[in-house]
Amino acid sequence: MDQRVRTIGVDLGGTKIKVAVVDETGTILRKTRVATPTEGGSEAVIREIVRAVRELQGADAERPEALGIGVAGQVGPAGDTVRFAPNLGWLDVPLKAALQTQLDLPVALLNDVRAATWGEWLFGAGRDCENLICLFIGTGIGGGLVCGGRVLDGSSNSAGEVGHVTVDLHGPPCTCGNRGCLEALAGGWAIARRAREAVAADPRAGAGLKKLADEQNEPITAKLVARAAHRGDPLAGQIVAEVLEALVAGAVGLVNAFNPRRLILGGGVIEGLPELVGQIDLGIRTRALKAAWEGLQVLPAQLGNDAGVIGGAAFARRSFSLKGEPS
Amino acid sequence: MDQRVRTIGVDLGGTKIKVAVVDETGTILRKTRVATPTEGGSEAVIREIVRAVRELQGADAERPEALGIGVAGQVGPAGDTVRFAPNLGWLDVPLKAALQTQLDLPVALLNDVRAATWGEWLFGAGRDCENLICLFIGTGIGGGLVCGGRVLDGSSNSAGEVGHVTVDLHGPPCTCGNRGCLEALAGGWAIARRAREAVAADPRAGAGLKKLADEQNEPITAKLVARAAHRGDPLAGQIVAEVLEALVAGAVGLVNAFNPRRLILGGGVIEGLPELVGQIDLGIRTRALKAAWEGLQVLPAQLGNDAGVIGGAAFARRSFSLKGEPS
């Protein structure tokens, strides 16, 4: 009688592991969240994932049919190994096989931002759309591309690194080794860097930011810059204006190159500065090619922090061609 | 006995119309080239295309089965109308219907750079490759993207405008209305502009370029800059170095975002400065993400000026699912 196809989505980050049982409509039936173990290496993390998944399974009369896991790191071309995950300290971890063996479930592995793209595409701001770009602007910047109704993997499974498009070839250094990347101008870490440098360079102009940071007993972060900008602090406002300029430049390039129907903006920086969505939209309409922007919709992401688990679960469903798949 | 499937490819530019009969292996069986009429509007141009096609058909015992035409302009989402072609002075010309009626052949219409991408993909440097980017650097810069074995059209048929990715958000103005586009730094017109400005600003440094232009009785063009750079002129060398820097920045962004297996470089600027191919390759390996470049091949385009007619003919074959189609 129950036609639901349940799959499990896991979102594995450097600080948290999120696990959810999701049905074929993208609805989360149950979820849990645990801290990512920081000791014991990948074995400890895998043990914790298995424990959390079993706990969720135990509460359920019906067994989920597969599991999809998005990992904050680089997944190998075959989709079985986490090649490099700096926030986890992982190098070449055969995560898919480990989880399949321990959980006796088919497991599909992908990058966490790719998973969030699957979520937003099928069940969030991207529903019923064949061509879209997701741009997630958090501490770093990543994204995903859907073209002709397919999520692009690229030739070695690394497509979607849209935080590393160059928007200012003489710009500041990026953590990737290049300079002037979109992320180096508009990622959360770059906003914090820029603000700290500005405060150090001109303490008078930086007095407002400094005071807010002292009051809240926290360092100068992108979140703090957003808050200060909303309170009218001129330096914070200037920094946010520069972030907007970089985001428009990056978005214009992507829109001109891909001609998507939708550009979906999510991540912590957008959540802290939601007005950026409309401003980026306006910037694109001012600067991109008319043929590229005239049918474009610029939308905020809808699934927030659940995008990863919902997308991971959907990816598992699609990977193993389970029933309940809408297309 | 003859299993050949012949289709006609047409490449319609602002100065020349190229027409070829092409078989299913991408081989040109016969071709002709006529000047694009500059008077008489779109009717005169269409008349000239029809005349050239009939002439080629007349020489052939076997009638080609379809025609594909690439146009230097923007083709509407349905692929039936040329919406805007500045070099032809066209606005909303229903080219597909006009040619179908007059030639009594199925006609497929696409952008000229997209046609060249089809050509390079199926029969040139992109053979047997499922994920690639073509970057044609001529007077302007355009390109095409093949992802998962499909040429990307985008949501309104304008995908591939890779000349208008922003690489220097504080850079010089572009003809598109934006600033700092790849084309505004590395397109032929931009190279000429930069050289003329440099010569005017510093006649002493510009003496070599000026002399070469005077000797050859021509204005300072990108071709002239390339020639001067090869002769060791320091200013021309500096301009070429800046062009390289911009091309690397643009290529790095595209490679990181798409993760192609091949990057194919063609167009007049590359033909004039063929050493750029290896230099761009090296630049990508220095600046792009390792996951994106480690499986990448950077190659020169192979079909030269024939890419458009070969690609147009292939596009027609694919559009009408004619036999002889390899995949």
Side-chain angles (χ1 to χ4, degrees), chain B:
Chain B
M1 275 175 55
D2 188 346
Q3 289 300 311
R4 280 182 167 174
V5 175
R6 288 148 188 206
T7 52
I8 293 176
V10 182
D11 186 353
L12 171 57
T15 57
K16 282 185 283 282
I17 301 168
K18 288 174 253 176
V19 185
V21 178
V22 184
D23 73 11
E24 77 288 350
T25 70
T27 304
I28 292 179
L29 304 177
R30 270 180 317 292
K31 63 179 172 179
T32 184
R33 169 196 286 225
V34 295
T36 307
T38 51
E39 290 181 8
S42 62
E43 288 81 2
V45 174
I46 292 169
R47 229 172 6 246
E48 193 63 10
I49 296 169
V50 168
R51 206 192 51 67
V53 169
R54 287 217 177 106
E55 193 184 293
L56 274 194
Q57 281 180 315
D60 198 359
E62 209 169 341
R63 186 178 155 77
E65 300 194 22
L67 180 148
I69 179 167
V71 179
Q74 184 192 317
V75 173
D80 48 7
T81 298
V82 179
R83 290 186 64 184
F84 178 51
N87 295 338
L88 292 160
W90 285 15
L91 208 64
D92 292 322
V93 173
L95 181 63
K96 176 177 167 146
L99 289 176
Q100 284 193 157
T101 306
Q102 296 188 44
L103 287 167
D104 192 25
L105 264 181
V107 169
L109 168 63
L110 77 172
N111 167 269
D112 62 344
V113 180
R114 188 88 53 83
T117 299
W118 275 93
E120 287 292 339
W121 174 38
L122 294 178
F123 303 113
R127 251 172 303 193
D128 303 319
C129 182
E130 294 254 297
N131 290 284
L132 62 83
I133 300 176
C134 285
L135 195 52
F136 296 106
I137 305 149
T139 305
I141 298 182
L145 310 158
V146 176
C147 294
R150 297 195 296 185
V151 176
L152 293 193
D153 296 319
S155 68
S156 59
N157 207 8
S158 85
E161 289 285 4
V162 290
H164 300 283
V165 297
T166 306
V167 294
D168 181 3
L169 48 75
H170 306 296
C174 186
T175 52
C176 75
N178 199 0
R179 57 169 55 247
C181 295
L182 179 56
E183 179 172 307
L185 292 161
W189 65 260
I191 297 172
R193 173 180 71 180
R194 169 84 181 84
R196 285 172 203 165
E197 285 174 2
V199 170
D202 185 347
R204 225 162 67 119
L209 269 174
K210 180 85 173 52
K211 183 156 169 275
L212 191 62
D214 289 347
E215 272 171 25
Q216 313 204 346
N217 198 24
E218 60 181 54
I220 294 175
T221 60
K223 197 179 267 183
L224 191 103
V225 172
R227 220 177 297 142
H230 287 161
R231 292 185 186 182
D233 180 74
L235 176 61
Q238 171 62 27
I239 292 170
V240 170
E242 291 169 12
V243 168
L244 172 63
E245 187 184 32
L247 289 173
V248 168
V252 163
L254 293 168
V255 163
N256 283 339
F258 282 97
N259 182 212
R261 176 90 178 94
R262 292 189 198 156
L263 174 65
I264 296 168
L265 301 167
V269 169
I270 296 294
E271 285 158 16
L273 295 160
E275 65 275 20
L276 284 175
V277 176
Q279 292 166 347
I280 292 169
D281 192 3
L282 183 64
I284 291 171
R285 280 164 219 286
T286 312
R287 293 175 172 271
L289 300 171
K290 190 179 174 215
W293 65 250
E294 63 185 350
L296 178 73
Q297 298 173 304
V298 179
L299 302 169
Q302 286 180 358
L303 304 183
N305 287 328
D306 289 332
V309 288
I310 293 173
F315 180 67
R317 204 176 304 117
R318 179 86 46 130
S319 298
F320 302 111
S321 302
L322 300 178
K323 64 181 155 55
E325 177 53 41
S327 66

Side-chain angles (χ1 to χ4, degrees), chain A residues 74 83 145 148 150 154-158 160-161 164 166-169 178 256-261 287 289 291 294, chain B residues 74 83 145 148 150 154-158 160-161 164 166-169 178 256-260 287 289 291 294:
Chain A
Q74 185 192 316
R83 291 186 63 183
L145 309 158
R150 297 195 297 186
S155 69
S156 59
N157 207 8
S158 87
E161 289 285 3
H164 300 283
T166 305
V167 295
D168 181 3
L169 48 75
N178 199 359
N256 284 339
F258 281 97
N259 182 214
R261 176 90 178 94
R287 292 177 173 271
L289 300 171
E294 64 186 349
Chain B
Q74 184 192 317
R83 290 186 64 184
L145 310 158
R150 297 195 296 185
S155 68
S156 59
N157 207 8
S158 85
E161 289 285 4
H164 300 283
T166 306
V167 294
D168 181 3
L169 48 75
N178 199 0
N256 283 339
F258 282 97
N259 182 212
R287 293 175 172 271
L289 300 171
E294 63 185 350

Side-chain angles (χ1 to χ4, degrees), chain A residues 1-299:
Chain A
M1 277 177 49
D2 188 346
Q3 289 299 314
R4 280 180 167 171
V5 176
R6 288 149 188 205
T7 52
I8 292 176
V10 181
D11 186 354
L12 172 56
T15 58
K16 282 185 283 284
I17 302 168
K18 287 175 253 175
V19 185
V21 178
V22 185
D23 72 12
E24 78 288 351
T25 69
T27 304
I28 292 180
L29 304 178
R30 268 178 319 290
K31 64 178 170 180
T32 186
R33 167 196 288 223
V34 294
T36 307
T38 51
E39 291 182 7
S42 62
E43 289 81 2
V45 173
I46 291 169
R47 223 166 17 239
E48 193 64 9
I49 296 169
V50 169
R51 206 192 51 69
V53 169
R54 287 217 177 109
E55 193 184 293
L56 274 194
Q57 283 181 311
D60 198 358
E62 211 168 340
R63 186 179 154 80
E65 300 193 22
L67 179 148
I69 179 165
V71 179
Q74 185 192 316
V75 172
D80 49 8
T81 298
V82 179
R83 291 186 63 183
F84 178 51
N87 296 335
L88 291 161
W90 286 15
L91 209 64
D92 293 321
V93 173
L95 182 62
K96 177 176 166 147
L99 289 177
Q100 284 194 158
T101 307
Q102 295 188 43
L103 286 166
D104 192 27
L105 265 180
V107 169
L109 168 62
L110 76 172
N111 168 269
D112 62 342
V113 180
R114 188 90 50 83
T117 298
W118 275 93
E120 287 293 340
W121 174 37
L122 294 178
F123 302 114
R127 252 172 302 193
D128 303 317
C129 182
E130 294 254 298
N131 291 284
L132 62 84
I133 300 176
C134 285
L135 195 53
F136 297 105
I137 304 147
T139 304
I141 297 182
L145 309 158
V146 176
C147 294
R150 297 195 297 186
V151 177
L152 293 193
D153 296 320
S155 69
S156 59
N157 207 8
S158 87
E161 289 285 3
V162 291
H164 300 283
V165 296
T166 305
V167 295
D168 181 3
L169 48 75
H170 307 296
C174 187
T175 52
C176 74
N178 199 359
R179 56 170 55 248
C181 296
L182 179 57
E183 180 173 308
L185 292 161
W189 65 262
I191 297 172
R193 172 180 71 181
R194 168 84 181 86
R196 286 171 201 162
E197 285 173 2
V199 170
D202 186 347
R204 226 161 66 118
L209 269 174
K210 180 84 172 56
K211 183 156 169 274
L212 191 61
D214 289 346
E215 273 171 24
Q216 312 204 344
N217 197 25
E218 61 180 55
I220 293 176
T221 60
K223 197 179 266 183
L224 191 102
V225 171
R227 220 177 296 142
H230 287 160
R231 291 185 186 182
D233 180 74
L235 176 61
Q238 172 61 28
I239 292 170
V240 170
E242 291 169 14
V243 168
L244 172 63
E245 187 184 32
L247 289 173
V248 168
V252 163
L254 292 168
V255 163
N256 284 339
F258 281 97
N259 182 214
R261 176 90 178 94
R262 293 189 197 155
L263 174 65
I264 296 168
L265 301 166
V269 169
I270 296 294
E271 285 159 15
L273 295 160
E275 66 274 21
L276 284 175
V277 176
Q279 291 166 348
I280 291 169
D281 192 4
L282 182 64
I284 291 170
R285 280 164 219 287
T286 312
R287 292 177 173 271
L289 300 171
K290 189 178 175 218
W293 65 250
E294 64 186 349
L296 178 73
Q297 299 173 304
V298 179
L299 301 169

